[in-house]
Amino acid sequence: MLHCLTATPATVHWGYFDAGRTPALKVRSGDLVLAEAVTHHAGDAPELLMDDGIRRLYAGIPEDDRHPGVHIMTGPIFVEGAKPGDMLEVRYLEMTPRLPYGSNLAASWGYLYKEFGEKERVTIYAVDNHCSQAHALFAYDFPGKYTVPGMITHADRCCREPALAGIRVPMRPHLGTAGVAPDVAGRVSTIPPGAHGGNIDNWRIGAGARMYYPVAVDGALFSVGDPHVSQGDGELSGTAIEASLNVLFQVIVRKDFAFPSPLLETPECWIVHGFDPDLNIALRAASLDMLCLLTDHRRLSRADAYSLMSVAADFAVTQVVDTRLGVHVRISKGVFPPGPA
């Protein structure tokens, strides 16, 4: 069955996951969902990044209800039969830009903020679905400091400056933040990633990918948000090209295996993630989870798995701007012999 989930003040939660929140939608394992994921940066150029539905969404949620995180999350979706200890498989099938524009913020939480004189700057991009590229339209220095999620800024044309002339950026539509509700009372910020998923910011979580999230509460309570049209590993300035997406996905309850952290499968590879405020600890966590994948699910000995990780696994920094830093480890499916995983 296909369900449509429109983003409205009644069907989104801004800045948090909450195991106690009433579901916006109930589905069965195997159902398809077409959901609207709305960027919290639509106010950076409202004449380009907002339509009537997004304006109503922003107007309908008070600023004092946008906490403790920043991302607009559509959901939660209650998946019948999902229980703690299960895995929720999410097959991402299509991700289509809602509007042909996006915003990148060089933010106060960006990695080189001090090196740029502690100034924030917005760059607005246009996206071209025909050639799957984005290019900068203009940039402007942000007045003051970006502190309130969903701030709306009307940048005068005299303040706009040319940016990145002749540069074309490959589009990589994906969800920066998606996941299940943690088993915690009250609101959990969307900013740091964790075992529930959340703000992983891995650009490979796009169409054609499958994510496996450890279920922590009945129904899983899955939500999507923080849509991006492009991002590099690291997300150095603080954000990706933030742009609203319409996302088609399928949810499947998996009771046949378990994994300690969000697991990503693409047609070419497996990717595990580690998170911690200390990048070294995040790297170690990702290493141990890759070891788990190779020993528990590919039946390698620990010694063989350790050797394979050193010679065939690619370690990379996912992001350095979300309080809890991210590392991902990728192993190609092509290194394994043919046969079921």
Side-chain angles (χ1 to χ4, degrees), residues 245-305:
L245 297 175
N246 295 326
V247 182
L248 177 66
F249 55 91
Q250 183 181 29
V251 291
I252 300 171
V253 177
R254 298 290 300 268
K255 297 179 179 290
D256 56 330
F257 81 102
F259 201 73
S261 62
L263 175 63
L264 169 58
E265 180 185 3
T266 75
E268 299 81 22
C269 61
W270 294 94
I271 301 175
V272 303
H273 299 87
F275 314 111
D276 196 85
D278 185 321
L279 202 58
N280 287 317
I281 297 177
L283 177 63
R284 180 172 293 276
S287 302
L288 291 172
D289 281 359
M290 178 55 76
L291 188 66
C292 171
L293 179 71
L294 296 176
T295 56
D296 292 358
H297 300 281
R298 297 301 317 197
R299 304 305 180 192
L300 299 183
S301 69
R302 285 175 60 86
D304 282 353

Side-chain angles (χ1 to χ4, degrees), residues 40 71 92 136 160 178-179 209 335:
H40 56 294
H71 308 100
Y92 293 109
R160 299 178 179 182
V335 303

Side-chain angles (χ1 to χ4, degrees), residues 96-120:
T96 307
R98 175 170 176 159
L99 296 166
Y101 302 99
S103 173
N104 167 252
L105 175 65
S108 61
W109 57 89
Y111 194 68
L112 299 179
Y113 178 58
K114 292 182 178 179
E115 284 81 355
F116 280 84
E118 299 190 354
K119 292 182 180 179
E120 295 182 298

